[in-house]
Amino acid sequence: MFSSWLKVTDKCEICGLDYRFASPDDGPAFFSLCVVAFALLFVIVWLQVAIGLPIGLLFIIAIPLMAVGCILPLRPIKGWLVASQFVNKAIEAGTEQLWTDMHDREDEAGNGRLDP
Ligand SMILES: [Zn+2]
């Protein structure tokens, strides 16, 4: 599904599904920040309150923890969002005609459709 860290390929190499519909935009970053960063913030605050680390050491621990903790889940979250787009047939508002035209063209060419 991915051609690089967060770049979605054009087509699935197994079933030929056209991934042009995939546009999770900033969804992965949003969910990573709201879910992971929020939880990690509690861990970092707990570290400070429970142990009382010097502020410099706290930053040395907290900054990499937040960075890695927010970057690592981006790929699985993006995969989940693209899968959700496919399952729920989510398209951008106002592009219904464009999608219909695109799918009609795909059918004429004999390529895969978005319908499961
Ligand atoms: Zn596939």
Side-chain angles (χ1 to χ4, degrees), residues 12 14-17 19:
C12 176
I14 295 169
C15 67
L17 175 67
Y19 279 125

Side-chain angles (χ1 to χ4, degrees), residues 3 29 34 52 55-56 60-61 66 74 78 85 91 93 97 112-115:
S3 60
C34 286
I55 197 74
I60 288 172
I61 294 170
M66 289 293 271
L74 286 178
K78 187 165 190 171
Q85 272 189 295
I91 60 173
Q97 187 59 47
R113 289 176 53 92
L114 289 176
D115 299 329

